[in-house]
Amino acid sequence: MAKTGVFESDPSVMAKATELKKELQRLEKLCALKELKLTGKRSPSLKLLETLACPDEFRCPLSKELMADPVIVATGQTYDRPFIQKWLKAGNQTCPVTQQILSHTILTPNHLVRGMISQWCKSRGIELSDPVYQINEEGMTEADREHFLSLLEKMSLTLSEQKQSARELRLLTKRMPSFRALFGESLDAIPQLLNPLSESRPQNGIHPDLQEDVITTLLNLSIHESNKKLVAETPMVIPLLMEALRSGTIDTRTNAAAALFTLSALDSNKALIGKSGALKPLIDLLEEGHPLAMKDVASAIFTLCMINENKAKAVRDGAVRVILKKITDRMHVDELLAILAMLSSHQKAIEEMGELGAVPCLLSIIRESTCGRNKENCIAILHSICLNDRTKWKEMREEENAHRTISELAENGTSRAKRKACGILERLNRIVNIVHTS
């Protein structure tokens, strides 16, 4: 095993090593100066030495190197952009120097320090790259960031400027994930975006195109995984999405439903959206039945009803009645049966399904449909209804005698459908045996 610490234990060896190091640096500098005299050009070694000898205020506190793109963080400290970005991407939320929590993570160019560094480098023949062409990992340039901030500022100006900015933000957040991510860097960005919709004004005072562009931008932002919590928890967002569901153009209403669907991917957001009362306008829009909106609305209701507290709210707000009517009319049967099957675990929903004549409707779908999943959902709902209401067994027995619907499913359905169908058949046979015995 090699020994360590030999030089540290011998002061004379340490002194000699330090002296040799200094001599080497002196010779390196002399060679560089000699080259300068002969060629009139500065050598890389001289440039490196001068860079290493730059003023401390030009060094990044993180890299300890000359800054190429100095930026200011929320605390007022200056860092080189690539290194502070790396710090922030690692999940740090504090200023590395002061340890203060950053109120936002927007990086503002420090033009003063940049100019001083540029002048210092120029006087020594050191090249410094232009920050405009320094692109970060998401493909964002400094010019992009400044443009983004200017668009947000215009959302508080005249109507024409608001419309122009909202349209551009909509397009940018659709095309570029990096622009979606920018909204997550500041707590003020989303409120600035929503400013035209949240200002005090008559309801008919919101320009429909402006509302559509802002709501669609919210949808684009909510697609970005790390934005979902921030978007949903911004106080104005869900109320404005609910308002858009009620009063926007059909495109606005559809995109508002899609935004709620996307945000509800997080369980915490499901609860928040449910408590805000968003299920009622979603169910109202479902009842209207506009073809453009149906899938997004159904998807939003389905995802929100994955938690029990929202199932109760959906039933209270009339979901069972609306969904059964649409299924009876054979509208979006796949999506709506999935919601009904999910609601069938709620006692009040099952009671309501029985009262509203769900049994013959569901049996007819089993007979007609070629979709295994739809048949499975139908028989699962029927199983729950019949266990809850014994008066429905007569309808089931008549259906089985006339069409062998349930037996057919017990033989050829999905594994879950077979299990539910067999459960119903066993119960029917038991009832028949009891009647014969008595």
Side-chain angles (χ1 to χ4, degrees):
M1 182 175 175
K3 294 182 179 180
T4 58
V6 175
F7 293 121
E8 289 84 349
S9 62
D10 190 336
S12 63
V13 174
M14 277 292 293
K16 189 173 286 188
T18 304
E19 190 178 330
L20 284 170
K21 189 176 179 181
K22 286 181 180 178
E23 182 64 18
L24 182 62
Q25 289 175 344
R26 188 180 68 81
L27 288 171
E28 192 176 50
K29 195 164 186 177
L30 282 172
C31 290
L33 288 170
K34 186 176 181 182
E35 185 179 339
L36 177 62
K37 282 182 181 180
L38 292 172
T39 64
K41 294 180 181 179
R42 290 177 174 261
S43 71
S45 57
L46 182 57
K47 289 180 182 178
L48 176 62
L49 286 169
E50 291 187 328
T51 302
L52 291 171
C54 73
D56 287 342
E57 57 267 28
F58 294 168
R59 296 179 188 275
C60 172
L62 288 170
S63 69
K64 311 300 182 187
E65 296 173 2
L66 181 69
M67 292 186 283
D69 188 5
V71 291
I72 306 169
V73 298
T75 58
Q77 293 292 323
T78 297
Y79 300 90
D80 202 3
R81 184 185 295 281
F83 296 95
I84 189 63
Q85 281 180 334
K86 186 177 179 182
W87 169 268
L88 295 172
K89 283 179 185 296
N92 297 299
Q93 297 179 332
T94 57
C95 171
V97 170
T98 67
Q99 295 302 305
Q100 289 176 270
I101 295 175
L102 297 170
S103 59
H104 62 77
T105 54
I106 289 178
L107 305 176
T108 306
N110 192 330
H111 295 299
L112 177 62
V113 171
R114 166 75 190 184
M116 292 167 66
I117 292 173
S118 181
Q119 188 62 39
W120 184 85
C121 288
K122 187 177 179 181
S123 67
R124 287 160 176 78
I126 299 171
E127 290 183 11
L128 191 65
S129 58
D130 189 337
V132 172
Y133 300 105
Q134 287 194 342
I135 300 176
N136 64 21
E137 291 174 14
E138 289 95 7
M140 293 294 294
T141 66
E142 187 53 46
D144 288 333
R145 289 173 176 275
E146 290 180 356
H147 183 53
F148 168 72
L149 294 174
S150 72
L151 289 173
L152 288 180
E153 287 171 5
K154 288 178 184 176
M155 296 301 285
S156 300
L157 302 180
T158 65
L159 178 61
S160 63
E161 287 174 302
Q162 289 176 344
K163 286 170 64 179
Q164 181 184 355
S165 296
R167 167 59 55 152
E168 192 166 350
L169 284 167
R170 173 181 178 172
L171 295 174
L172 286 170
T173 52
K174 179 182 179 180
R175 278 198 320 260
M176 299 175 65
S178 50
F179 266 89
R180 296 175 209 150
L182 278 178
F183 276 88
E185 293 186 2
S186 170
L187 296 175
D188 296 328
I190 295 174
Q192 281 182 279
L193 169 71
L194 301 178
N195 183 65
L197 307 188
S198 56
E199 290 175 344
S200 298
R201 61 177 70 186
Q203 186 175 343
N204 59 3
I206 299 174
H207 194 283
D209 291 343
L210 177 58
Q211 184 188 33
E212 183 181 323
D213 287 335
V214 171
I215 294 298
T216 307
T217 302
L218 272 181
L219 167 60
N220 295 340
L221 297 184
S222 66
I223 293 169
H224 197 76
E225 200 62 34
S226 59
N227 281 348
K228 293 185 190 298
K229 185 175 175 62
L230 174 66
V231 172
E233 292 181 357
T234 299
M236 294 179 284
V237 167
I238 296 175
L240 287 174
L241 287 174
M242 289 168 60
E243 179 61 31
L245 286 172
R246 298 187 187 102
S247 64
T249 65
I250 191 58
D251 285 327
T252 301
R253 299 171 82 190
T254 300
N255 288 342
L260 288 170
F261 163 60
T262 308
L263 291 171
S264 63
L266 297 182
D267 283 347
S268 59
N269 286 354
K270 288 182 182 74
L272 185 62
I273 293 167
K275 286 175 185 173
S276 301
L279 277 161
K280 184 66 170 74
L282 282 168
I283 292 166
D284 291 343
L285 184 51
L286 183 69
E287 187 169 20
E288 286 184 36
H290 197 289
L292 195 65
M294 289 288 282
K295 282 203 171 186
D296 286 310
V297 172
S299 298
I301 294 171
F302 177 85
T303 310
L304 288 169
C305 287
M306 287 179 176
I307 60 173
N308 286 325
E309 59 198 87
N310 284 344
K311 289 178 188 176
K313 292 181 174 72
V315 173
R316 183 197 64 204
D317 291 334
V320 173
R321 176 185 58 79
V322 171
I323 291 170
L324 271 177
K325 178 68 170 66
K326 297 298 176 191
I327 290 175
T328 302
D329 295 339
R330 298 302 189 262
M331 293 180 65
H332 291 273
V333 173
D334 298 6
E335 294 89 349
L336 298 181
L337 268 177
I339 300 173
L340 207 61
M342 184 172 289
L343 293 178
S344 67
S345 64
H346 190 274
Q347 179 65 28
K348 184 73 172 67
I350 285 296
E351 291 171 6
E352 201 171 332
M353 288 178 205
E355 292 165 5
L356 292 171
V359 171
C361 172
L362 296 171
L363 288 170
S364 67
I365 291 173
I366 294 175
R367 288 197 306 270
E368 298 166 10
S369 179
T370 58
C371 174
R373 177 55 60 86
N374 286 352
K375 292 185 179 200
E376 178 186 310
N377 282 330
C378 285
I379 199 69
I381 298 166
L382 287 167
H383 187 269
S384 297
I385 292 173
C386 291
L387 288 179
N388 178 71
D389 185 352
R390 286 190 289 179
T391 64
K392 304 301 177 188
W393 288 108
K394 183 182 177 183
E395 288 179 73
M396 300 293 286
R397 187 167 61 251
E398 289 172 354
E399 175 73 23
E400 178 63 16
N401 291 338
H403 303 287
R404 292 193 76 253
T405 305
I406 303 163
S407 294
E408 180 68 26
L409 199 56
E411 293 169 10
N412 301 312
T414 65
S415 59
R416 181 167 177 255
K418 287 178 180 178
R419 192 168 65 252
K420 296 293 184 181
C422 288
I424 291 173
L425 288 172
E426 286 173 11
R427 185 64 64 96
L428 286 174
N429 292 332
R430 200 179 307 153
I431 292 169
V432 169
N433 290 334
I434 290 171
V435 170
H436 286 167
T437 304
S438 61

